[in-house]
Amino acid sequence: MDGFQVICTIFVTVVAYADSSAADHEYMLTKPESLTVSINFETKLECVMNILPDKFQWKFYPLDKKDSFNPKAPLSLTNSKFRIIPADKYEPQKKMSSLTLQADSTEIAGDYQCLAHYGASVVASIPWRITIANLTHFRTQEKVDATVVVGNTISWRCEPPPMSNPEPYVDYVKNGQYFPRVISTSTKSLIIPNATTSDSGHYACKSGNTEGDITSGTLLNLRVVRHVSPEPPRFLIRPKTMYEVNKGDSVFLECAAVGNPVPKVEWRKKVGIFPEHRCEKLEGGLVIKNVSSSDNGVYECVQKNHLGTISHYITLNYNEPPKIDCLLTTTDVTQGDNLDLDCSVTGTPTPEVSWFLNGFVVNDSKIETDGNKIYFMPVEKRHAGNLQIFARNVLGTVYRTISIKVIPLSTTQEVSTDKPAPPTRGNHRNNNNNSRKPPKHGKMVPPSRPNISRLNDEAVLLRWTVQMKGLPIQFFKVQYRELGPDSQRDHHNRKGSKWMTTNTDIPPHMRSYEVTNLKPDHWYRFRIAAVYSNNDNKNSPTSEKFHLRKLDFDKRNPLPIPLVTKTETINSTSVKIYWKYNSLPNITVDGFFVNYNSASSAADYMREVVDGQHTNSYILTHLQPDTVYDIKLQSFTSKSASDFSAIMKAKTLGVVSTTSPPMKETVTPSLSTEPSGISKLYIIIAVSVVGGCGLIFALIGVLLFCKRSKQKKNSNRGDRDKGGVDDHRIQADAEYVVGSKNAPRSNGCVPPNRITITANPLADADNKNQNMIEMSCLSSQNNNCSTVQPSVSGEDSPTNSRDKKNKNREKRIRNKQNTDSNTSGENYV
C-alpha cells in the first residue's frame, strides 16, 4: 500500500508540474490560413488558445483594391496601417473567439490578426489572409497554324486567365471535345509526344475555378503529315522563361521544338552542378524532383538537328518558407539593464521581419530593432510580457515568442527617467548590468555552431551567435581542421588531422570572422572557442563538414556590387552607412559585407555581416573617436561574394572634454607706493624662504619613498613564497584546462598551467622541449631547476603585443627567481 501511495504522489506531482508549466506558456491552437471568399458569401475565423485569456481582440490590415484578388500580395506587419475591429463584431467563447465576415465588397480583403490578453501580456496570432474570388477572361493570344512531320513533340499552351482567384485550372479541347494531356506533370501546357496524323485538328482552351468556366476560341490549327520539307528546329510557342518552385517540390521545365528531322535535345546548367540524380528527361521537357536551394539558377535547353540549333534559357527561382530559431524562449532581466536579443531568420525570398511587444509592433524610444536583432536600452517595467518576432514571405508567416520578465528595482534604486541614453546598438551586452561583477559560479555559455559562407577559392566567413546569459566573454578564437581533398575517398572519416587556430583575438562584440589561406576543393570543419572573464574557455559545437569548392570565376555570373550612397556620424564611436543595391533577376543575395578600416592604418579591413537582400543601412559601432574610416561593401551568397564597392569615408565625433578650462591669471595693478628696489628685495626674500621649505619637504619625501620601497620589496618576496605565476593558454587537440594557483611542486618544479590554442605545427616541437624540461626537473635532485613556458604558436606575430608582454614578464620573473634562489635557497616559478 505504501508503494502505491508513492506512485500516486509522483503522478499527481508530475501532473501538477505539467499544468503549472503549461500555464506559463500561452499559445494558439488554431493554425491561420489563406481563405478565398466569393462576393455575398460569409466566412468565419476562429481563434483558439490553450489557456483561457482575460479577453480577445482583433486587428484588420486592409489590402488595396487592386490586390484584393491576390493571396500573395505583400503586406507589412511593421509598416501597414491597421484598425481595431469593434468588440460587438466577434464572439468570445471561453478559450475561443470567432469573427464572422460578410463579403459585401472587396473592402473586407486583407489580413486579420487575433490578440489574446493575459493581464499585461498579449499573444498575437499569425494573420489570416482573406481575398475575393474572381475569374477573368483569357488574354488575347495569337492564332497558330502549324504543319509538322510525324514523330515531333508538340508543345503548346494557353496562359491562365490573369487576376483569377483561386488559381484556375486549364484544360484543352480538340475539335470541340475534351483532349486529355498525355504528359502527366504539373504543367498547364499541352504536350503531345511522338505526334501522329491522328493528332491533327483544331485546339482551344477551357479554364475555370469556383466562379465558373470560360472557353477560348480556336488558337491552334495543327496538321501532322508524314512528309515535309527539311527544316531546322523551331518553337510553335516560346517556352516559359521563369519558374517559381518551393522547397521539396517537383518542377517540369518545358522545352520542345519541331523540325525535320526531329530535333534532339540537350540540357545543361549555366552555373553550378546539374542535378543529374534528381532529373528525368521527358518528351517536351525536364523534371527536377525534390527541389533544393542548389537547384536555383539558369538552365539551358538546346534543340538541334543537322540543319540548325536553337537554345532557350529558363530561370528557376527557389523559394523556401520562413524559419525562425531563437536561443531563448524566456529571460529574466533587471529593470535598468540593457538587453540584446538575436534570432536566426531564414527563408527565400528573404523574409520581412517584424517585432511585436504584447500584441503590437514595437514603437518605443528605449527599443531599437535591426532586422532579426532587437536592443533594449535599457529595460523598463513596461517591457515585461510577450516579445514576438514574425517572419513572412510569399510562402507564409511564422513567429517565435520570448517571454520577458522584468525584475523591478526597489524604490531607492528606481531608475531615473532622465538617465543618459546607453551606447548605441551593436555593443555586446549581458542581461546583467555591465557594471556588476559576474556571479561567482556563472555558467560559461558556449557560442552557437558556426554558419559557414564561401568567400572565394581560399577563404570562408564564419558567423555565430552567443546567448546573453552567462559569464562575460573576453575574446573569441577560431579553430579549423582540414579533412582532406575532395578526391580523397576517406576524407569524411578522417580523424588524424589536428585543429589549427587563427592568430587573431576576436573582440567579444564581434560575431563573424574570415578564415583565409585555405585549400580549394578540400573539406573542413570549424568551431569557435570563447574565453570568459574567469580565464576559462569553452568551444562551440563543431560545424558540419564543409566543402570549399573551387569555382570558375571567369564563367560564373558575378554578383552585383552595392553602391554606398552616404554616411552619417552618430557619436564618437559609431557611424551609420547607407547603400543601394540593384538586384538581378537570376541572383538572390543573402546579405552584405561591410568592410571598414581606419584611413590612416595599413592593417586588414574589419568586416561586419548584414543579413537580408533588402537591407540598405547599418550602424558600425566600437570605432575610435575623432577618426576617419574607409568603408566599402560587398554582396554575398553562400557560394561567393561580389567585388568591392567604391570606398566611402566616414568620421566619428571627437570626445568632448569634461575638464574645466584653466583659469586665466588676472593682473591687478599694484597700489604700493614703495620704491621698486624695496619691492625687488621683498621678492628675493620670499623666493628664498619658499625654496628652503621646498628643499626640506623634498628630503622628507625621499626618506618616505625609500622606506615604502623597502616594505614593498619584503612584501613581494613574501607573496612569491605563497605561489607561482599563472599562465593561461588555450590548446588545440586537448581538453581546455585552467591551472590552479596552488599547484603541487616536485623537486622545485611546477607543472605549467595553461589553456592553449595551437595554430602552428612548430608548437609541437615547443611542447616536446617543454616535456623534456619537465622530465629533467622531475628526475633531478638539484633544486635549482625552473621551467620555460612554450610559446603559443601563431601568437608570435609582431602584431600580437600582448604575448610579447607576457614573454617579457616571464623573463623578468625567471631572472628574479634565480636571484632569490641564490639568497634564500628556494626556487620560484
Side-chain angles (χ1 to χ4, degrees):
M1 188 66 180
D2 292 339
F4 179 77
Q5 289 178 345
V6 170
I7 294 174
C8 290
T9 302
I10 294 174
F11 178 79
V12 171
T13 303
V14 170
V15 171
Y17 177 79
D19 288 342
S20 64
S21 300
D24 291 337
H25 298 85
E26 308 88 11
Y27 56 89
M28 181 169 293
L29 299 176
T30 308
K31 185 178 180 180
E33 55 187 355
S34 180
L35 301 174
T36 301
V37 182
S38 299
I39 292 293
N40 297 326
F41 281 77
E42 70 176 29
T43 188
K44 180 181 288 187
L45 308 181
E46 293 184 347
C47 177
V48 182
M49 300 297 297
N50 68 321
I51 300 174
L52 177 66
D54 298 334
K55 68 173 183 177
F56 283 102
Q57 197 175 24
W58 287 83
K59 291 192 295 184
F60 172 51
Y61 299 81
L63 280 171
D64 294 337
K65 186 176 181 179
K66 63 181 178 62
D67 293 327
S68 60
F69 309 107
N70 184 7
K72 296 183 179 181
L75 196 155
S76 171
L77 293 178
T78 302
N79 302 315
S80 298
K81 295 181 180 179
F82 68 89
R83 60 174 181 263
I84 300 296
I85 298 177
D88 58 355
K89 300 294 184 182
Y90 51 89
E91 302 174 5
Q93 301 172 3
K94 295 185 178 180
K95 297 181 182 180
M96 181 182 74
S97 176
S98 58
L99 174 65
T100 301
L101 300 174
Q102 183 70 35
D104 296 328
S105 68
T106 59
E107 293 181 356
I108 73 160
D111 285 4
Y112 293 81
Q113 191 173 39
C114 172
L115 306 181
H117 292 253
Y118 297 87
S121 298
V122 181
V123 177
S125 74
I126 293 172
W128 283 262
R129 170 63 61 89
I130 303 297
T131 52
I132 305 301
N134 187 40
L135 179 64
T136 60
H137 293 283
F138 287 104
R139 286 194 179 101
T140 302
Q141 192 167 337
E142 183 179 355
K143 187 176 179 180
V144 176
D145 294 311
T147 300
V148 300
V149 72
V150 170
N152 274 284
T153 295
I154 308 302
S155 176
W156 182 73
R157 72 179 183 278
C158 286
E159 294 293 344
M163 302 297 294
S164 294
N165 184 35
E167 185 176 1
Y169 68 87
V170 176
D171 283 336
Y172 292 88
V173 177
K174 175 187 176 184
N175 300 330
Q177 294 183 349
Y178 171 74
F179 183 84
R181 277 168 286 178
V182 179
I183 298 295
S184 178
T185 65
S186 58
T187 180
K188 292 186 178 181
S189 297
L190 174 65
I191 307 291
I192 306 176
N194 195 21
T196 65
T197 55
S198 62
D199 293 319
S200 300
H202 307 287
Y203 290 84
C205 304
K206 184 178 181 180
S207 181
N209 59 16
T210 57
E211 298 300 289
D213 299 317
I214 55 174
T215 303
S216 72
T218 299
L219 297 174
L220 173 64
N221 290 324
L222 178 64
R223 182 169 171 257
V224 183
V225 298
R226 296 187 181 278
H227 302 284
V228 72
S229 300
E231 61 174 350
R234 62 186 175 93
F235 294 117
L236 295 182
I237 187 171
R238 194 73 178 174
K240 293 176 62 176
T241 58
M242 185 173 295
Y243 291 82
E244 299 287 336
V245 189
N246 299 337
K247 178 182 180 181
D249 289 351
S250 296
V251 62
F252 181 67
L253 308 181
E254 304 167 21
C255 183
V258 296
N260 186 23
V262 175
K264 301 295 184 181
V265 63
E266 293 179 2
W267 287 91
R268 61 176 70 106
K269 191 177 182 184
K270 292 290 290 181
V271 178
I273 300 175
F274 187 85
E276 194 75 41
H277 60 291
R278 288 183 288 107
C279 287
E280 182 180 0
K281 296 178 182 179
L282 301 178
E283 298 292 340
L286 176 73
V287 175
I288 304 178
K289 303 174 182 178
N290 191 22
V291 172
S292 67
S293 59
S294 63
D295 300 327
N296 195 72
V298 179
Y299 293 79
E300 183 182 12
C301 163
V302 180
Q303 299 275 355
K304 60 183 178 181
N305 60 20
H306 70 276
L307 296 177
T309 301
I310 57 173
S311 297
H312 179 69
Y313 295 97
I314 300 173
T315 300
L316 191 152
N317 287 330
Y318 169 83
N319 292 332
E320 186 172 343
K323 181 181 178 181
I324 304 175
D325 289 320
C326 297
L327 294 174
L328 300 176
T329 58
T330 182
T331 182
D332 298 348
V333 58
T334 303
Q335 177 189 358
D337 286 357
N338 291 329
L339 175 65
D340 290 1
L341 296 173
D342 185 351
C343 295
S344 172
V345 179
T346 57
T348 307
T350 303
E352 182 209 41
V353 175
S354 301
W355 288 92
F356 277 48
L357 181 61
N358 292 323
F360 294 87
V361 68
V362 169
N363 184 16
D364 192 301
S365 61
K366 302 296 183 181
I367 304 176
E368 183 177 352
T369 62
D370 182 13
N372 60 326
K373 301 175 184 178
I374 188 168
Y375 310 93
F376 292 77
M377 303 180 295
V379 172
E380 298 186 355
K381 292 180 181 178
R382 66 178 183 271
H383 299 149
N386 285 324
L387 178 69
Q388 292 175 274
I389 175 174
F390 287 81
R392 66 180 347 192
N393 63 15
V394 293
L395 298 187
T397 305
V398 295
Y399 76 83
R400 291 291 180 270
T401 302
I402 301 174
S403 176
I404 298 179
K405 297 180 181 179
V406 179
I407 303 172
L409 299 174
S410 62
T411 54
T412 58
Q413 296 176 306
E414 196 68 42
V415 178
S416 171
T417 57
D418 297 331
K419 180 180 177 180
T424 57
R425 67 166 178 78
N427 296 340
H428 176 77
R429 305 180 186 92
N430 290 325
N431 290 343
N432 297 323
N433 195 322
N434 293 339
S435 62
R436 297 182 181 179
K437 294 182 179 180
K440 185 175 181 180
H441 301 290
K443 293 182 179 180
M444 294 184 296
V445 181
S448 67
R449 185 192 306 271
N451 181 31
I452 309 166
S453 299
R454 181 188 182 282
L455 293 180
N456 54 52
D457 286 352
E458 298 178 349
V460 298
L461 183 78
L462 304 184
R463 289 181 286 167
W464 63 91
T465 59
V466 179
Q467 188 175 335
M468 290 300 104
K469 289 186 176 180
L471 287 175
I473 294 173
Q474 295 187 51
F475 58 88
F476 297 100
K477 283 281 192 181
V478 168
Q479 292 188 298
Y480 61 93
R481 189 173 68 174
E482 179 194 329
L483 303 180
D486 186 54
S487 58
Q488 184 174 313
R489 294 183 178 181
D490 63 342
H491 64 80
H492 292 286
N493 299 317
R494 186 173 179 182
K495 298 181 179 179
S497 60
K498 293 185 178 181
W499 285 99
M500 306 295 286
T501 306
T502 57
N503 296 335
T504 307
D505 289 352
I506 305 168
H509 68 275
M510 299 292 289
R511 295 293 185 272
S512 63
Y513 185 77
E514 179 181 348
V515 183
T516 58
N517 298 322
L518 302 178
K519 299 177 182 178
D521 271 338
H522 278 59
W523 290 81
Y524 289 90
R525 286 187 186 272
F526 300 87
R527 68 187 183 192
I528 311 299
V531 179
Y532 301 86
S533 57
N534 62 352
N535 288 334
D536 204 345
N537 58 91
K538 202 166 187 178
N539 53 348
S540 71
T542 303
S543 71
E544 299 292 337
K545 293 185 290 292
F546 180 81
H547 182 201
L548 182 56
R549 298 181 184 275
K550 185 175 182 179
L551 300 183
D552 189 346
F553 280 83
D554 295 331
K555 296 183 179 180
R556 71 175 178 84
N557 290 333
L559 295 180
I561 303 173
L563 174 65
V564 184
T565 56
K566 69 172 182 176
T567 61
E568 176 184 335
T569 302
I570 303 297
N571 52 38
S572 60
T573 61
S574 304
V575 296
K576 189 170 185 178
I577 59 175
Y578 300 85
W579 65 88
K580 63 181 181 180
Y581 163 77
N582 295 323
S583 60
L584 298 179
N586 298 336
I587 299 176
T588 300
V589 303
D590 296 334
F592 302 91
F593 293 146
V594 180
N595 305 274
Y596 64 99
N597 192 22
S598 171
S600 60
S601 172
D604 292 336
Y605 275 77
M606 293 174 285
R607 173 175 286 161
E608 293 280 355
V609 181
V610 183
D611 290 315
Q613 179 178 3
H614 302 293
T615 309
N616 58 9
S617 65
Y618 187 73
I619 297 179
L620 286 173
T621 60
H622 294 82
L623 305 179
Q624 295 298 319
D626 195 23
T627 303
V628 177
Y629 283 86
D630 290 337
I631 300 170
K632 55 185 180 181
L633 265 65
Q634 297 169 276
S635 63
F636 75 91
T637 65
S638 60
K639 299 178 181 178
S640 62
S642 73
D643 292 334
F644 291 103
S645 69
I647 292 177
M648 178 74 80
K649 294 187 180 293
K651 184 178 181 182
T652 55
L653 293 176
V655 178
V656 180
S657 175
T658 57
T659 58
S660 301
M663 297 294 294
K664 294 182 178 180
E665 288 189 13
T666 55
V667 180
T668 55
S670 175
L671 299 179
S672 173
T673 58
E674 297 184 20
S676 59
I678 298 177
S679 299
K680 293 180 180 179
L681 179 62
Y682 287 159
I683 292 174
I684 293 173
I685 295 173
V687 169
S688 300
V689 173
V690 172
C693 293
L695 181 60
I696 293 173
F697 284 126
L699 292 173
I700 295 174
V702 170
L703 292 175
L704 291 175
F705 177 80
C706 293
K707 184 177 181 180
R708 290 184 179 180
S709 299
K710 184 177 181 179
Q711 291 175 349
K712 185 175 181 181
K713 181 176 181 180
N714 294 334
S715 176
N716 290 339
R717 178 174 298 178
D719 291 340
R720 288 195 301 272
D721 290 339
K722 296 179 181 180
V725 179
D726 288 338
D727 183 16
H728 301 295
R729 313 241 176 123
I730 302 177
Q731 181 172 359
D733 294 323
E735 294 293 331
Y736 290 176
V737 181
V738 175
S740 169
K741 291 184 178 181
N742 298 317
R745 298 175 182 235
S746 177
N747 292 334
C749 293
V750 181
N753 304 323
R754 48 184 180 163
I755 319 171
T756 47
I757 291 186
T758 305
N760 192 321
L762 296 178
D764 293 340
D766 292 337
N767 290 335
K768 291 180 181 179
N769 294 336
Q770 175 67 28
N771 294 334
M772 293 176 63
I773 294 172
E774 290 176 10
M775 292 177 63
S776 175
C777 290
L778 292 174
S779 62
S780 175
Q781 298 299 323
N782 185 358
N783 289 336
N784 228 357
C785 178
S786 60
T787 62
V788 180
Q789 298 287 359
S791 63
V792 177
S793 144
E795 297 180 4
D796 298 335
S797 170
T799 60
N800 200 329
S801 59
R802 187 189 65 179
D803 289 342
K804 287 185 176 180
K805 293 179 180 178
N806 288 339
K807 291 180 180 179
N808 293 335
R809 176 170 169 263
E810 292 174 2
K811 185 176 180 181
R812 290 197 302 271
I813 291 173
R814 290 198 299 270
N815 293 338
K816 182 64 179 176
Q817 290 167 353
N818 292 334
T819 303
D820 292 341
S821 66
N822 293 331
T823 57
S824 62
E826 291 190 30
N827 294 311
Y828 303 92
V829 179

